[in-house]
PDB file of all heavy atoms in Angstrom:
ATOM      1  N   LEU A 636     282.897   5.892  65.754  1.00 95.00           N
ATOM      2  CA  LEU A 636     284.184   6.415  66.217  1.00 95.00           C
ATOM      3  C   LEU A 636     285.362   5.742  65.501  1.00 95.00           C
ATOM      4  O   LEU A 636     286.235   6.445  64.975  1.00 95.00           O
ATOM      5  CB  LEU A 636     284.295   6.309  67.740  1.00 95.00           C
ATOM      6  CG  LEU A 636     283.284   7.155  68.528  1.00 95.00           C
ATOM      7  CD1 LEU A 636     283.445   6.931  70.021  1.00 95.00           C
ATOM      8  CD2 LEU A 636     283.410   8.622  68.180  1.00 95.00           C
ATOM      9  N   PRO A 637     285.421   4.418  65.438  1.00 95.00           N
ATOM     10  CA  PRO A 637     286.546   3.814  64.699  1.00 95.00           C
ATOM     11  C   PRO A 637     286.461   4.061  63.188  1.00 95.00           C
ATOM     12  O   PRO A 637     287.484   4.199  62.517  1.00 95.00           O
ATOM     13  CB  PRO A 637     286.451   2.329  65.027  1.00 95.00           C
ATOM     14  CG  PRO A 637     285.094   2.107  65.566  1.00 95.00           C
ATOM     15  CD  PRO A 637     284.621   3.421  66.122  1.00 95.00           C
ATOM     16  N   LYS A 638     285.259   4.133  62.668  1.00 95.00           N
ATOM     17  CA  LYS A 638     285.077   4.401  61.235  1.00 95.00           C
ATOM     18  C   LYS A 638     285.732   5.729  60.845  1.00 95.00           C
ATOM     19  O   LYS A 638     286.342   5.848  59.788  1.00 95.00           O
ATOM     20  CB  LYS A 638     283.581   4.433  60.892  1.00 95.00           C
ATOM     21  CG  LYS A 638     283.270   4.836  59.464  1.00 95.00           C
ATOM     22  CD  LYS A 638     281.766   4.905  59.228  1.00 95.00           C
ATOM     23  CE  LYS A 638     281.445   5.442  57.839  1.00 95.00           C
ATOM     24  NZ  LYS A 638     279.989   5.598  57.657  1.00 95.00           N
ATOM     25  N   HIS A 639     285.607   6.727  61.719  1.00 94.00           N
ATOM     26  CA  HIS A 639     286.141   8.056  61.429  1.00 94.00           C
ATOM     27  C   HIS A 639     287.428   8.359  62.200  1.00 94.00           C
ATOM     28  O   HIS A 639     287.912   9.495  62.161  1.00 94.00           O
ATOM     29  CB  HIS A 639     285.082   9.121  61.699  1.00 94.00           C
ATOM     30  CG  HIS A 639     283.895   8.975  60.801  1.00 94.00           C
ATOM     31  ND1 HIS A 639     283.954   9.200  59.439  1.00 94.00           N
ATOM     32  CD2 HIS A 639     282.618   8.589  61.065  1.00 94.00           C
ATOM     33  CE1 HIS A 639     282.775   8.968  58.909  1.00 94.00           C
ATOM     34  NE2 HIS A 639     281.949   8.598  59.866  1.00 94.00           N
ATOM     35  N   GLY A 640     287.985   7.362  62.885  1.00 94.00           N
ATOM     36  CA  GLY A 640     289.289   7.516  63.538  1.00 94.00           C
ATOM     37  C   GLY A 640     289.300   8.425  64.738  1.00 94.00           C
ATOM     38  O   GLY A 640     290.200   9.245  64.896  1.00 94.00           O
ATOM     39  N   ILE A 641     288.317   8.280  65.623  1.00 95.00           N
ATOM     40  CA  ILE A 641     288.255   9.093  66.847  1.00 95.00           C
ATOM     41  C   ILE A 641     288.297   8.187  68.072  1.00 95.00           C
ATOM     42  O   ILE A 641     287.616   7.172  68.134  1.00 95.00           O
ATOM     43  CB  ILE A 641     286.972   9.948  66.898  1.00 95.00           C
ATOM     44  CG1 ILE A 641     286.937  10.943  65.738  1.00 95.00           C
ATOM     45  CG2 ILE A 641     286.872  10.702  68.235  1.00 95.00           C
ATOM     46  CD1 ILE A 641     285.663  11.757  65.677  1.00 95.00           C
ATOM     47  N   VAL A 642     289.100   8.597  69.047  1.00 95.00           N
ATOM     48  CA  VAL A 642     289.147   7.934  70.347  1.00 95.00           C
ATOM     49  C   VAL A 642     288.821   8.996  71.391  1.00 95.00           C
ATOM     50  O   VAL A 642     289.398  10.093  71.372  1.00 95.00           O
ATOM     51  CB  VAL A 642     290.544   7.332  70.624  1.00 95.00           C
ATOM     52  CG1 VAL A 642     290.619   6.741  72.018  1.00 95.00           C
ATOM     53  CG2 VAL A 642     290.898   6.296  69.571  1.00 95.00           C
ATOM     54  N   ILE A 643     287.896   8.686  72.303  1.00 96.00           N
ATOM     55  CA  ILE A 643     287.505   9.628  73.354  1.00 96.00           C
ATOM     56  C   ILE A 643     288.114   9.171  74.666  1.00 96.00           C
ATOM     57  O   ILE A 643     287.918   8.027  75.086  1.00 96.00           O
ATOM     58  CB  ILE A 643     285.974   9.719  73.483  1.00 96.00           C
ATOM     59  CG1 ILE A 643     285.352  10.133  72.148  1.00 96.00           C
ATOM     60  CG2 ILE A 643     285.584  10.706  74.595  1.00 96.00           C
ATOM     61  CD1 ILE A 643     283.843  10.063  72.123  1.00 96.00           C
ATOM     62  N   VAL A 644     288.860  10.080  75.317  1.00 95.00           N
ATOM     63  CA  VAL A 644     289.535   9.749  76.574  1.00 95.00           C
ATOM     64  C   VAL A 644     289.074  10.717  77.659  1.00 95.00           C
ATOM     65  O   VAL A 644     289.279  11.930  77.529  1.00 95.00           O
ATOM     66  CB  VAL A 644     291.070   9.827  76.415  1.00 95.00           C
ATOM     67  CG1 VAL A 644     291.770   9.483  77.720  1.00 95.00           C
ATOM     68  CG2 VAL A 644     291.547   8.913  75.292  1.00 95.00           C
ATOM     69  N   PRO A 645     288.449  10.195  78.736  1.00 95.00           N
ATOM     70  CA  PRO A 645     288.014  11.079  79.823  1.00 95.00           C
ATOM     71  C   PRO A 645     289.156  11.379  80.799  1.00 95.00           C
ATOM     72  O   PRO A 645     290.095  10.593  80.941  1.00 95.00           O
ATOM     73  CB  PRO A 645     286.935  10.259  80.529  1.00 95.00           C
ATOM     74  CG  PRO A 645     287.343   8.845  80.289  1.00 95.00           C
ATOM     75  CD  PRO A 645     288.021   8.824  78.942  1.00 95.00           C
ATOM     76  N   ARG A 646     289.060  12.528  81.440  1.00 95.00           N
ATOM     77  CA  ARG A 646     290.016  12.898  82.501  1.00 95.00           C
ATOM     78  C   ARG A 646     289.240  13.562  83.623  1.00 95.00           C
ATOM     79  O   ARG A 646     288.511  14.539  83.397  1.00 95.00           O
ATOM     80  CB  ARG A 646     291.067  13.864  81.954  1.00 95.00           C
ATOM     81  CG  ARG A 646     292.138  14.234  82.986  1.00 95.00           C
ATOM     82  CD  ARG A 646     293.205  15.127  82.384  1.00 95.00           C
ATOM     83  NE  ARG A 646     292.807  16.512  82.307  1.00 95.00           N
ATOM     84  CZ  ARG A 646     292.867  17.374  83.329  1.00 95.00           C
ATOM     85  NH1 ARG A 646     293.299  16.987  84.509  1.00 95.00           N
ATOM     86  NH2 ARG A 646     292.480  18.628  83.169  1.00 95.00           N
ATOM     87  N   LEU A 647     289.373  13.017  84.825  1.00 95.00           N
ATOM     88  CA  LEU A 647     288.726  13.602  85.997  1.00 95.00           C
ATOM     89  C   LEU A 647     289.469  14.873  86.383  1.00 95.00           C
ATOM     90  O   LEU A 647     290.679  14.856  86.588  1.00 95.00           O
ATOM     91  CB  LEU A 647     288.733  12.611  87.163  1.00 95.00           C
ATOM     92  CG  LEU A 647     288.142  13.101  88.476  1.00 95.00           C
ATOM     93  CD1 LEU A 647     286.658  13.395  88.327  1.00 95.00           C
ATOM     94  CD2 LEU A 647     288.378  12.072  89.570  1.00 95.00           C
ATOM     95  N   VAL A 648     288.729  15.983  86.481  1.00 93.00           N
ATOM     96  CA  VAL A 648     289.316  17.271  86.833  1.00 93.00           C
ATOM     97  C   VAL A 648     289.122  17.558  88.320  1.00 93.00           C
ATOM     98  O   VAL A 648     290.038  17.993  89.002  1.00 93.00           O
ATOM     99  CB  VAL A 648     288.684  18.407  85.991  1.00 93.00           C
ATOM    100  CG1 VAL A 648     289.205  19.765  86.418  1.00 93.00           C
ATOM    101  CG2 VAL A 648     288.926  18.166  84.514  1.00 93.00           C
ATOM    102  N   ARG A 649     287.909  17.308  88.810  1.00 94.00           N
ATOM    103  CA  ARG A 649     287.583  17.617  90.209  1.00 94.00           C
ATOM    104  C   ARG A 649     286.446  16.721  90.650  1.00 94.00           C
ATOM    105  O   ARG A 649     285.581  16.365  89.850  1.00 94.00           O
ATOM    106  CB  ARG A 649     287.151  19.088  90.307  1.00 94.00           C
ATOM    107  CG  ARG A 649     286.867  19.581  91.711  1.00 94.00           C
ATOM    108  CD  ARG A 649     286.422  21.034  91.701  1.00 94.00           C
ATOM    109  NE  ARG A 649     285.139  21.234  91.033  1.00 94.00           N
ATOM    110  CZ  ARG A 649     283.954  21.040  91.618  1.00 94.00           C
ATOM    111  NH1 ARG A 649     283.880  20.636  92.860  1.00 94.00           N
ATOM    112  NH2 ARG A 649     282.841  21.255  90.941  1.00 94.00           N
ATOM    113  N   ARG A 650     286.446  16.376  91.939  1.00 93.00           N
ATOM    114  CA  ARG A 650     285.391  15.515  92.471  1.00 93.00           C
ATOM    115  C   ARG A 650     285.062  15.946  93.893  1.00 93.00           C
ATOM    116  O   ARG A 650     285.948  16.294  94.673  1.00 93.00           O
ATOM    117  CB  ARG A 650     285.870  14.062  92.484  1.00 93.00           C
ATOM    118  CG  ARG A 650     284.991  13.124  93.256  1.00 93.00           C
ATOM    119  CD  ARG A 650     285.647  11.766  93.394  1.00 93.00           C
ATOM    120  NE  ARG A 650     286.676  11.711  94.409  1.00 93.00           N
ATOM    121  CZ  ARG A 650     286.464  11.405  95.691  1.00 93.00           C
ATOM    122  NH1 ARG A 650     285.257  11.136  96.116  1.00 93.00           N
ATOM    123  NH2 ARG A 650     287.463  11.347  96.538  1.00 93.00           N
ATOM    124  N   GLU A 651     283.771  15.923  94.208  1.00 93.00           N
ATOM    125  CA  GLU A 651     283.311  16.173  95.568  1.00 93.00           C
ATOM    126  C   GLU A 651     282.399  15.026  95.978  1.00 93.00           C
ATOM    127  O   GLU A 651     281.544  14.610  95.195  1.00 93.00           O
ATOM    128  CB  GLU A 651     282.535  17.488  95.654  1.00 93.00           C
ATOM    129  CG  GLU A 651     283.378  18.715  95.372  1.00 93.00           C
ATOM    130  CD  GLU A 651     282.541  19.983  95.444  1.00 93.00           C
ATOM    131  OE1 GLU A 651     282.290  20.453  96.573  1.00 93.00           O
ATOM    132  OE2 GLU A 651     282.128  20.449  94.374  1.00 93.00           O
ATOM    133  N   LEU A 652     282.585  14.526  97.181  1.00 91.00           N
ATOM    134  CA  LEU A 652     281.785  13.417  97.704  1.00 91.00           C
ATOM    135  C   LEU A 652     281.092  13.882  98.973  1.00 91.00           C
ATOM    136  O   LEU A 652     281.721  14.437  99.875  1.00 91.00           O
ATOM    137  CB  LEU A 652     282.671  12.206  98.008  1.00 91.00           C
ATOM    138  CG  LEU A 652     282.028  11.038  98.737  1.00 91.00           C
ATOM    139  CD1 LEU A 652     280.956  10.388  97.880  1.00 91.00           C
ATOM    140  CD2 LEU A 652     283.082  10.020  99.135  1.00 91.00           C
ATOM    141  N   PHE A 653     279.780  13.657  99.020  1.00 92.00           N
ATOM    142  CA  PHE A 653     278.986  14.009 100.193  1.00 92.00           C
ATOM    143  C   PHE A 653     278.227  12.774 100.642  1.00 92.00           C
ATOM    144  O   PHE A 653     277.753  11.995  99.816  1.00 92.00           O
ATOM    145  CB  PHE A 653     277.961  15.107  99.853  1.00 92.00           C
ATOM    146  CG  PHE A 653     278.564  16.308  99.194  1.00 92.00           C
ATOM    147  CD1 PHE A 653     278.544  16.441  97.808  1.00 92.00           C
ATOM    148  CD2 PHE A 653     279.143  17.306  99.951  1.00 92.00           C
ATOM    149  CE1 PHE A 653     279.091  17.548  97.185  1.00 92.00           C
ATOM    150  CE2 PHE A 653     279.694  18.424  99.334  1.00 92.00           C
ATOM    151  CZ  PHE A 653     279.673  18.548  97.952  1.00 92.00           C
ATOM    152  N   GLU A 654     278.112  12.599 101.933  1.00 92.00           N
ATOM    153  CA  GLU A 654     277.263  11.532 102.464  1.00 92.00           C
ATOM    154  C   GLU A 654     275.936  12.147 102.856  1.00 92.00           C
ATOM    155  O   GLU A 654     275.888  13.169 103.535  1.00 92.00           O
ATOM    156  CB  GLU A 654     277.917  10.866 103.685  1.00 92.00           C
ATOM    157  CG  GLU A 654     279.016   9.922 103.322  1.00 92.00           C
ATOM    158  CD  GLU A 654     279.490   9.082 104.508  1.00 92.00           C
ATOM    159  OE1 GLU A 654     278.785   9.017 105.537  1.00 92.00           O
ATOM    160  OE2 GLU A 654     280.576   8.507 104.395  1.00 92.00           O
ATOM    161  N   ARG A 655     274.871  11.527 102.418  1.00 91.00           N
ATOM    162  CA  ARG A 655     273.528  11.979 102.738  1.00 91.00           C
ATOM    163  C   ARG A 655     272.826  10.857 103.491  1.00 91.00           C
ATOM    164  O   ARG A 655     273.165   9.687 103.336  1.00 91.00           O
ATOM    165  CB  ARG A 655     272.728  12.293 101.465  1.00 91.00           C
ATOM    166  CG  ARG A 655     273.406  13.253 100.531  1.00 91.00           C
ATOM    167  CD  ARG A 655     273.210  14.681 100.995  1.00 91.00           C
ATOM    168  NE  ARG A 655     273.654  15.615  99.978  1.00 91.00           N
ATOM    169  CZ  ARG A 655     274.423  16.641 100.225  1.00 91.00           C
ATOM    170  NH1 ARG A 655     274.829  16.893 101.443  1.00 91.00           N
ATOM    171  NH2 ARG A 655     274.782  17.458  99.270  1.00 91.00           N
ATOM    172  N   THR A 656     271.822  11.212 104.271  1.00 91.00           N
ATOM    173  CA  THR A 656     271.019  10.217 104.968  1.00 91.00           C
ATOM    174  C   THR A 656     269.625  10.217 104.345  1.00 91.00           C
ATOM    175  O   THR A 656     269.006  11.272 104.202  1.00 91.00           O
ATOM    176  CB  THR A 656     270.927  10.545 106.474  1.00 91.00           C
ATOM    177  OG1 THR A 656     272.253  10.631 106.997  1.00 91.00           O
ATOM    178  CG2 THR A 656     270.165   9.468 107.220  1.00 91.00           C
ATOM    179  N   THR A 657     269.167   9.045 103.967  1.00 89.00           N
ATOM    180  CA  THR A 657     267.835   8.930 103.371  1.00 89.00           C
ATOM    181  C   THR A 657     266.774   9.028 104.457  1.00 89.00           C
ATOM    182  O   THR A 657     267.077   8.978 105.656  1.00 89.00           O
ATOM    183  CB  THR A 657     267.673   7.588 102.625  1.00 89.00           C
ATOM    184  OG1 THR A 657     267.684   6.525 103.588  1.00 89.00           O
ATOM    185  CG2 THR A 657     268.768   7.389 101.586  1.00 89.00           C
ATOM    186  N   ALA A 658     265.520   9.121 104.046  1.00 90.00           N
ATOM    187  CA  ALA A 658     264.405   9.193 104.992  1.00 90.00           C
ATOM    188  C   ALA A 658     264.341   7.943 105.868  1.00 90.00           C
ATOM    189  O   ALA A 658     263.849   7.994 106.999  1.00 90.00           O
ATOM    190  CB  ALA A 658     263.096   9.379 104.239  1.00 90.00           C
TER     191      ALA A 658
END
Side-chain angles (χ1 to χ4, degrees):
L636 296 178
K638 174 183 174 184
H639 297 292
I641 298 176
V642 176
I643 303 172
V644 180
R646 183 177 80 81
L647 178 64
V648 176
R649 184 181 65 82
R650 168 189 78 89
E651 295 179 80
L652 172 65
F653 308 97
E654 283 190 15
R655 306 279 190 227
T656 303
T657 68

